[in-house]
Amino acid sequence: MSEIPAKATESEDSSGGTRREVADGLFSGDAPSADAMWQSSPPGSIYDYIKVASFSIGPDGLVDQWSLRAEQIFGIPAERALGMDPIEAFIEPVRRERGQRKMAEILDGREWTGVVPFRLPAGLAADERDRDGLAEVYVMPTRTEEGEKAAVCIVVDVRTLRRIETDLAASQAIFGQSPFGFLLIDPDLRVRRANQRFASIFGGSPDDHRGKGVHDYLPRGEADRVAATLRRVLETGDSITDMHVTGFVPGSDERRHWSVNLYRVHSGSGRPIGVAWLGTDITARRAAAREAAAARRNLALLNDAGARIGNSLDLETTARELLDVVVPGFCDLATVDLYQGLLAGDETPPGLADGSAEVRRVAFASAVSDAPFSVTGEPVKLGAVHHYPFNSPCADALRTARPQSVPGGEGGLVQSTLAVPMVAHDTVVGLAQFARTKGSEPFGDRDRDLAVELAARAAVCIDNARLYRREHERALILQRSLLPPGDPEASGLDIACRYLPGNVATGRPSEVGGDWFDVIELPGHRTALVVGDVMGRGLRAAVAMGELRTAVRTLAQLDLEPAEVLSQLDEIARGLGAPGGVQQATRAARRPREADLSEVYLATCVYAVYDSVTRRCTFANAGHLPPVLVEPGEPALMLDVPPGMPLGVGGEPFEEVEVELPEGALLALYTDGLVESRDHPLDEGLQAFVNALTDPSAPLEDVCDHVLNTLDTHHGEDDIALLMARVQGLPAESVGDWTLPREPRSVGRAREYARAQLLAWDLEPLVDTTELLVSELVTNALRYGEGEIRLRLLLDRTLVCEVWDSGLVQPRRRRARDTDEGGRGLQLVGLLSAAWGSRRTPRGKTVWFELPLPGPDTTLTDPAEALLSLF
């Protein structure tokens, strides 16, 4: 740059100092303005910064001019300094002689430059140590108007010069040796100076960048933003820290990122002269930050997946939970297809499928569109059953159990898709597809690994749900198979029942329970009503329930009293969970206090026996909720039946309560699932149940439905069993009852009574068979029994004949030899009757047989043929 000399003049300003005027533009750019104008130099010139002072010495060696700046440096006012000998004033006594010789040389016409020590007057220095100073003096010989020799002295404080040198050296070291790109930008936003680091990045030497602007380095939009920021820093003086700037290095298409710090630069006098730019390349740091952010996002997704996937044991719900996690946090669109066979309950073969089997779309989620989504072929609607072509990427993913990347698709909406097989225990259960739309970041290797992990987690949960569904359905089948089929029938009772598994009651899947009910027909037109509940849930509870139900039916056929039935059940329950089974139960019954309750299944049960002839019902309770009775015209009430201990505890006897039930009365037995809930106390549920039984005269089916609908808000997760029975006693005209003395003639009299009663009931086809069998039973009572004999005929859905006596010896059926004259009576009873048996009574025993009533579907055995078959 060629410099144009500035025209200058000096004049005294208002303060008496020297004002220097220069041509406009000399120091504001590399070249002066073409149309330079004289103007005052702005504040903060170099002379202000280095504080140049001047004074002159006359021919006599004394000061004859003293500037204001000299007053500031030396602290001596002009009126005192004028006429002062500078040697006497500033030089120490020991050096004054030398000073006088130098002054003589100067006045003789020699120039001199040197450092002169001086001492400020007391009071002018802030610190005593600051009184001693050094002044660099430049003395130029001159002449007065009269031609006499004189001198002009230019004085600079050496301390100021050293400070300038230090600042320049430090500035140069920082600017030149900084590992960061360093720019000094002038007020016109042009580079005034660049360091070597900046030049090594953008090419050329530091001087090659002088005069360039931000638009020479950055794209237009980014350059405009940075230029506006530079202007704001110049105007306000506010620094900018860690401003991120994005651009390209010349000759490279790689996008680079820089972190830039900006601050305004001032001259020594405080005048703003530009903006300092300190930049460092953070491309690698940004990439690492993106990687770290992606890792954090992935960990968060995995953590979220662990918390949200698998909370339900439902296949479709689990699939939706997976999509709730990934959309929109991981992808924009996602679907889940599961094998149709798996959803239908079929066993999934081990190993890998061929990928062409039918699948059903069970879940779909989108952050951009609700339209059906498919990577290949036609879009698939939610719930639709379809299959993938054998050579498609999705079929390949299912076949190989490896994820496949599918670019494009969906009419240009989707940028890339990951088809990820859902693998659980080496078995492919379905396919998850994750898609990102145009404008989103494409899937990378890290995304691929994450997708595989998410799909695997969901697959395990889905497989668990599949296994649970299979076991749950098996348990339900087992459980339902152990319940009475259809609508149970009983003599003298109108019966209705309901059974609701827990998942039906709550709408959520749950383990099967151990609730059961049963209606068991007993001899003599009596009926056993049973409701029980095995504590706990799951398949083992259902199996325990089945064992207890079977035991109840077996014990009921022995015609034991209700309390005795529960006592036997208690021993059986104590052995259900033990390795020794029934034998363990027997040993536990002998040592009730030593039994380990952790090895047994506890259960509650209420067992009731209803006699349709007497309309009396005998109850025994093992820790179950009390039965509810509704008599005609009366409010419902809970029967006071001693609860007893649950089955499996042992050691406590059970009590019996006998209640006479009026005609039309309603009896309700139930399990705790009907009345118990975590949302309200048990007493509240019981009272709600009692209040729901308001119309006992309504059809029983309607009564059951009304109870369940009324108590719907009280349903918990437990199973519900409800057994309701309306009393319809056997009419008196359907009963024939006679007492016979203990004598041989009673056999013939019993036949006469039986014949007359059957003819009165219009059952003539049964007369011969009944007479023969009555003869056998009465004869046995006379031969083996004790006390008087009682004969009773009962007519309901069958004909029942009972022979009572006071003997305790139970009849035993045996096979007679060909040479035996007797012993064939009970064999004959077994051949001619539909059923026969004996039971103990409080005062002896009862032997009975049952005959079906005549009808088009009834085949009666000829007594004569039966007799012949015995010989």
Side-chain angles (χ1 to χ4, degrees):
M1 180 184 70
S2 59
E3 296 185 357
I4 301 176
K7 298 178 182 179
T9 183
E10 290 186 357
S11 62
E12 291 295 322
D13 59 19
S14 59
S15 61
T18 302
R19 184 177 65 201
R20 183 172 182 270
E21 297 179 350
V22 299
D24 183 27
L26 180 61
F27 296 102
S28 61
D30 288 342
S33 172
D35 187 16
M37 295 177 60
W38 294 99
Q39 65 176 20
S40 299
S41 175
S45 70
I46 188 64
Y47 301 105
D48 292 329
Y49 184 63
I50 62 176
K51 296 182 169 52
V52 178
S54 64
F55 62 90
S56 62
I57 300 175
D60 56 359
L62 302 178
V63 176
D64 61 0
Q65 289 187 6
W66 190 257
S67 68
L68 292 178
R69 185 62 58 86
E71 291 187 7
Q72 297 173 2
I73 291 178
F74 297 107
I76 300 174
E79 57 270 18
R80 178 182 168 190
L82 293 176
M84 182 178 62
D85 184 350
I87 302 302
E88 297 292 334
F90 301 110
I91 303 301
E92 296 179 357
V94 295
R95 299 178 179 177
R96 288 176 183 171
E97 182 180 352
R98 182 181 178 187
Q100 293 292 347
R101 290 199 302 270
K102 289 293 182 183
M103 179 61 68
E105 294 175 357
I106 291 170
L107 293 178
D108 194 31
R110 294 182 57 185
E111 292 187 359
W112 181 80
T113 301
V115 177
V116 178
F118 66 91
R119 187 174 181 81
L120 292 175
L124 292 181
D127 193 309
E128 182 65 26
R129 291 171 298 179
D130 295 336
R131 292 184 62 190
D132 294 327
L134 289 175
E136 185 171 292
V137 182
Y138 176 39
V139 182
M140 296 174 291
T142 184
R143 291 182 181 275
T144 64
E145 293 180 357
E146 291 79 12
E148 294 180 301
K149 294 180 180 180
V152 175
C153 299
I154 305 297
V155 182
V156 178
D157 190 343
V158 173
R159 290 175 298 184
T160 301
L161 292 177
R162 297 295 179 266
R163 186 164 60 247
I164 292 174
E165 291 175 354
T166 302
D167 291 346
L168 287 174
S171 175
Q172 181 62 30
I174 295 174
F175 202 82
Q177 302 173 20
S178 171
F180 308 115
F182 214 149
L183 297 178
L184 181 61
I185 300 175
D186 65 20
D188 293 331
L189 304 188
R190 294 289 175 180
V191 175
R192 168 63 60 185
R193 188 175 180 186
N195 71 343
Q196 184 59 44
R197 176 61 178 169
F198 185 87
S200 67
I201 296 175
F202 288 91
S205 66
D207 290 339
D208 293 335
H209 295 277
R210 186 172 298 177
K212 292 184 178 181
V214 292
H215 288 81
D216 296 316
Y217 302 101
L218 302 175
R220 183 176 182 82
E222 187 77 337
D224 291 342
R225 180 179 71 88
V226 173
T229 305
L230 289 171
R231 291 190 189 95
R232 186 168 64 251
V233 172
L234 274 172
E235 293 171 359
T236 65
D238 296 333
S239 299
I240 299 295
T241 303
D242 196 23
M243 179 179 72
H244 288 194
V245 178
T246 302
F248 298 90
V249 174
S252 172
D253 294 333
E254 181 184 1
R255 184 184 296 271
R256 309 292 292 180
H257 302 274
W258 294 276
S259 173
V260 175
N261 295 329
L262 302 175
Y263 57 91
R264 192 168 68 181
V265 179
H266 303 83
S267 67
S269 61
R271 178 172 61 87
I273 61 173
V275 176
W277 168 300
L278 179 63
T280 181
D281 192 328
I282 60 170
T283 304
R285 191 174 78 189
R286 284 282 296 270
R290 284 198 303 270
E291 288 291 318
R296 287 193 298 270
R297 181 199 66 187
N298 293 352
L299 289 175
L301 277 173
L302 290 175
N303 182 64
D304 196 23
R308 297 173 61 182
I309 300 177
N311 293 321
S312 169
L313 288 173
D314 179 76
L315 279 76
E316 292 83 354
T317 302
T318 303
R320 288 193 297 270
E321 289 171 344
L322 168 63
L323 301 195
D324 289 340
V325 171
V326 300
V327 177
F330 177 70
C331 60
D332 303 314
L333 294 160
T335 65
V336 173
D337 295 331
L338 298 180
Y339 277 120
Q340 176 65 7
L342 180 145
L343 294 170
D346 299 340
E347 290 290 340
T348 302
L352 305 179
D354 64 0
S356 61
E358 288 187 335
V359 292
R360 184 195 303 173
R361 178 137 305 169
V362 297
F364 166 75
S366 173
V368 295
S369 172
D370 294 332
F373 163 73
S374 179
V375 176
T376 58
E378 295 296 325
V380 180
K381 294 182 179 180
L382 185 64
V385 177
H386 64 104
H387 67 88
Y388 293 106
F390 184 80
N391 59 350
S392 66
C394 293
D396 189 50
L398 289 171
R399 184 168 51 253
T400 63
R402 294 189 180 94
Q404 299 293 324
S405 297
V406 186
E410 192 64 13
L413 172 65
V414 176
Q415 174 178 256
S416 62
T417 300
L418 287 176
V420 184
M422 306 180 72
V423 184
H425 312 298
D426 297 327
T427 299
V428 178
V429 298
L431 182 75
Q433 298 180 65
F434 309 107
R436 288 180 179 173
T437 56
K438 300 291 186 181
S440 300
E441 184 177 354
F443 290 112
D445 292 339
R446 186 187 296 274
D447 296 323
R448 186 187 183 100
D449 295 339
L450 176 62
V452 171
E453 177 66 22
L454 291 171
R457 292 195 179 195
V460 171
C461 296
I462 287 175
D463 194 53
N464 290 340
R466 176 185 68 85
L467 295 175
Y468 170 79
R469 175 181 288 185
R470 184 186 66 186
E471 297 303 320
H472 187 259
E473 289 176 351
R474 290 178 178 178
L476 284 178
I477 292 173
L478 171 64
Q479 188 179 41
R480 288 166 182 156
S481 68
L482 298 175
L483 297 174
D487 295 327
E489 296 182 354
S491 177
L493 292 175
D494 181 16
I495 293 178
C497 52
R498 293 287 187 277
Y499 179 80
L500 296 178
N503 60 329
V504 174
T506 63
R508 299 187 300 272
S510 64
E511 292 187 291
V512 295
D515 294 20
W516 90 93
F517 67 90
D518 210 345
V519 178
I520 308 170
E521 291 191 80
L522 301 178
H525 291 308
R526 295 172 305 127
T527 303
L529 303 176
V530 189
V531 170
D533 183 5
V534 177
M535 299 181 186
R537 304 190 63 78
L539 186 59
R540 295 183 63 192
V543 171
M545 176 270 284
E547 294 183 5
L548 289 178
R549 177 178 179 270
T550 302
V552 170
R553 296 189 71 87
T554 302
L555 295 171
Q557 296 304 322
L558 297 177
D559 220 343
L560 302 177
E561 296 297 322
E564 182 64 19
V565 169
L566 293 186
S567 296
Q568 296 297 326
L569 277 180
D570 179 60
E571 294 188 11
I572 294 173
R574 297 171 67 194
L576 289 182
V582 176
Q583 295 180 0
Q584 176 72 16
T586 303
R587 290 194 295 270
R590 295 171 184 165
R591 304 189 305 274
R593 294 187 179 181
E594 301 175 14
D596 185 359
L597 295 183
S598 64
E599 295 184 352
V600 301
Y601 274 99
L602 299 180
T604 63
C605 180
V606 61
Y607 184 87
V609 175
Y610 170 70
D611 190 336
S612 63
V613 178
T614 63
R615 294 202 309 274
R616 300 189 70 82
C617 189
T618 304
F619 297 90
N621 192 354
H624 204 78
L625 295 174
V628 175
L629 178 64
V630 187
E631 297 185 8
E634 299 292 336
L637 57 89
M638 288 182 287
L639 294 178
D640 187 13
V641 179
M645 299 297 291
L647 301 176
V649 175
E652 295 293 333
F654 297 97
E655 300 182 43
E656 293 181 355
V657 173
E658 188 176 67
V659 178
E660 183 173 353
L661 304 179
E663 187 76 15
L666 184 64
L667 180 66
L669 305 178
Y670 53 96
T671 57
D672 56 3
L674 181 68
V675 296
E676 190 173 25
S677 170
R678 66 184 67 181
D679 299 329
H680 60 79
L682 176 61
D683 292 344
E684 182 180 330
L686 287 171
Q687 189 59 48
F689 176 46
V690 170
N691 294 339
L693 297 173
T694 56
D695 188 8
S697 62
L700 276 186
E701 297 293 335
D702 295 343
V703 174
C704 289
D705 292 339
H706 174 71
V707 167
L708 294 179
N709 292 333
T710 302
L711 299 183
D712 182 67
T713 56
H714 298 293
H715 288 169
E717 297 181 357
D718 200 1
D719 297 350
I720 295 174
L722 175 62
L723 176 62
M724 305 194 78
R726 180 177 285 115
V727 174
Q728 296 174 346
L730 200 64
E733 58 270 19
S734 297
V735 179
D737 197 346
W738 304 273
T739 301
L740 302 172
R742 190 172 186 80
E743 55 186 33
R745 292 183 300 174
S746 295
V747 176
R749 194 172 300 171
R751 288 199 299 268
E752 293 175 1
Y753 289 151
R755 171 180 289 273
Q757 185 65 69
L758 291 181
L759 292 176
W761 286 339
D762 197 19
L763 296 176
E764 185 176 356
L766 299 181
V767 170
D768 293 343
T769 301
T770 303
E771 281 188 310
L772 179 59
L773 298 183
V774 165
S775 296
E776 289 293 334
L777 295 187
V778 173
T779 299
N780 282 344
L782 289 173
R783 181 176 299 176
Y784 304 109
E786 299 178 4
E788 60 181 7
I789 300 170
R790 181 182 177 189
L791 172 64
R792 190 167 74 168
L793 295 178
L794 306 175
L795 177 62
D796 193 37
R797 291 177 291 113
T798 61
L799 175 67
V800 175
C801 175
E802 298 177 333
V803 175
W804 304 38
D805 69 74
S806 301
L808 298 178
V809 178
Q810 296 291 324
R812 182 172 62 89
R813 182 179 178 179
R814 65 184 179 86
R815 180 174 294 277
R817 295 189 295 264
D818 294 342
T819 57
D820 291 344
E821 297 182 359
R824 295 179 176 84
L826 293 181
Q827 286 184 269
L828 184 63
V829 173
L831 286 173
L832 293 177
S833 65
W836 77 277
S838 66
R839 68 177 185 273
R840 290 189 177 90
T841 64
R843 292 185 297 274
K845 68 177 180 298
T846 298
V847 183
W848 56 272
F849 67 85
E850 181 178 330
L851 294 176
L853 299 181
D857 299 329
T858 304
T859 300
L860 300 176
T861 304
D862 184 12
E865 294 179 358
L867 285 171
L868 290 175
S869 67
L870 295 177
F871 295 94

